[in-house]
Amino acid sequence: MEKLKPAIESKNISLALAQKMLEAALVKGEELGMPFSIAIVDRVGNIKAFAAMDGAPVLSLEISQNKAFSAATYNRATHEWYDRLKDDPPLLHGIVHTPRLIIFGGGYPIKIDNELIGGVGVSGGHYSHDMQVCQAALEVLNTLE
Amino acid sequence: MEKLKPAIESKNISLALAQKMLEAALVKGEELGMPFSIAIVDRVGNIKAFAAMDGAPVLSLEISQNKAFSAATYNRATHEWYDRLKDDPPLLHGIVHTPRLIIFGGGYPIKIDNELIGGVGVSGGHYSHDMQVCQAALEVLNTLE
Amino acid sequence: MEKLKPAIESKNISLALAQKMLEAALVKGEELGMPFSIAIVDRVGNIKAFAAMDGAPVLSLEISQNKAFSAATYNRATHEWYDRLKDDPPLLHGIVHTPRLIIFGGGYPIKIDNELIGGVGVSGGHYSHDMQVCQAALEVLNTLE
Amino acid sequence: MEKLKPAIESKNISLALAQKMLEAALVKGEELGMPFSIAIVDRVGNIKAFAAMDGAPVLSLEISQNKAFSAATYNRATHEWYDRLKDDPPLLHGIVHTPRLIIFGGGYPIKIDNELIGGVGVSGGHYSHDMQVCQAALEVLNTLE
């Protein structure tokens, strides 16, 4: 009989949490007075929940999803990329062309007890606005028991 | 001076309505006891709101969006396609290859006063189940003043 | 404080198991004397391990991956599709066009204790040969403690 | 009677060698303590063997394959690209958009007696780590009789 580890356990964001984060993001979006697209993906970058505020730019529909995808699949907030790229020209001119990889702010990993369970991505304003909306979504994690 | 009509007005589903329809669909999904993906798109087929129930098949993420897209962009419920194709071999063997076009049940146009404003698509069960979930979403339209 | 379930646990195939299954498939392939492509994917259809026997047809490289993807993402062996489709014309003419969905034999879900952890796909011979190679891979599951 | 050369001979990596290189890469990956994706392609860039270590980032699945593809199809290690591009602005801003072309380290041609037979690509760490894993794979070539 073989003795090998057949499977790796992991956690994925629930729809209940994804919707709660989406709601918090929408409240923040209303407060900022701009129309954002907000995407929540699971641990492997698959779409879990999504909402586009009325008037959200068409391009933001995909960018928000790509930000969430980038954050989850690399386990790194999208705004952290540029600092790692700026003094590394091959990456700066190369990795930025990776399909779906976004290297500016507005995408964050979602973690429970420091374990990756998904990603949130926001697009519609300058990335500094997008980041605020993400942070409002992430604050929901602090309210969990 | 030219006298031309510079623009065409159209209506698009609001996020408020999209979310209400999504909630109704999720209630029906829970009732059926299967994990569905549910997508709402606007009049031109762009994603407006989305939710994947926990355990929804990966393929349902895209198929649900494609059903909503098909319904809105052709202003036709997806289950109405086959009857129109079955005796028209060039279409039956041709148009079914159109990217994103789904010809089985689970996608419906969303209309207000008979005017197209969007589409809803559901995937996860047999299309007969998917259609029930769509219908639950569409019933929300009857509750509007 | 909120009380919601923030995450869903799931299992994914380990590389150790994937490689062992791949080896068993290759032994069977040698025995049959045809060059197969063999793909193992994880629970969500992402590639985990792959080998193309010398002389494997170029088309088999992608078909084997798509079979494994189909089996994992729908939790259904690919040869089970046709029986469900043959008396359901809208699906027979419709769902077969889903990108990456394969509806003939040679793709199987991989399960531990009846829980989906991945998929195996084989291409290179007639699907009846491909299925034999898959089954050799799946027999590895019976040797685990 | 025409006297033309009807065919060109070429050599392609065998599965036996590809698997041996993959094993060596996995040993190096374990030693570095990071989860890498490792791809071996044949002379024309088609996938030959692949393994993703447990925990490998989703993006690394495709990037590793693209590195191996780039190396084989251009017969150039991917880290050699940037030096050739940096003073040639049309290329620096243009060729980097070529689908599947990677211009940072982690992809190497595989050669026997200075003849191209395939490519190896690794992704998962910084490219300096990825390059070390590739080199471990390439050292297998020195052990062949």
Side-chain angles (χ1 to χ4, degrees), chain B residues 57 82 96-97 103-104 126-127, chain C residues 73-74 88-89 91 93-95 97:
Chain B
Y82 185 70
V96 295
H97 298 282
I103 62 145
F104 48 94
H126 181 261
Y127 60 73
Chain C
T73 57
Y74 229 86
D88 195 336
L91 284 184
H93 290 88
I95 206 168
H97 301 288

Side-chain angles (χ1 to χ4, degrees), chain B residues 54-55 57-60 62-63 66 82 92-93 96-97 101-105 123-127, chain C residues 5 8 43-45 69-70 73-74 81 84 88-91 93-101:
Chain B
D54 298 329
V58 174
L59 277 177
S60 72
E62 193 167 340
I63 294 177
N66 289 348
Y82 185 70
L92 182 59
H93 296 277
V96 295
H97 298 282
L101 177 61
I102 305 284
I103 62 145
F104 48 94
S123 178
H126 181 261
Y127 60 73
Chain C
K5 194 176 182 182
I8 311 298
R43 181 191 173 88
V44 294
F69 173 87
S70 296
T73 57
Y74 229 86
W81 271 97
R84 294 169 180 252
D88 195 336
L91 284 184
H93 290 88
I95 206 168
V96 295
H97 301 288
T98 306
R100 304 201 66 188
L101 177 61

Side-chain angles (χ1 to χ4, degrees), chain B residues 11-29:
Chain B
K11 286 183 181 149
N12 258 312
I13 189 168
S14 67
L15 180 57
L17 176 56
Q19 286 184 309
K20 210 159 181 56
M21 292 180 69
L22 204 55
E23 280 164 37
L26 288 169
V27 168
K28 187 68 180 179

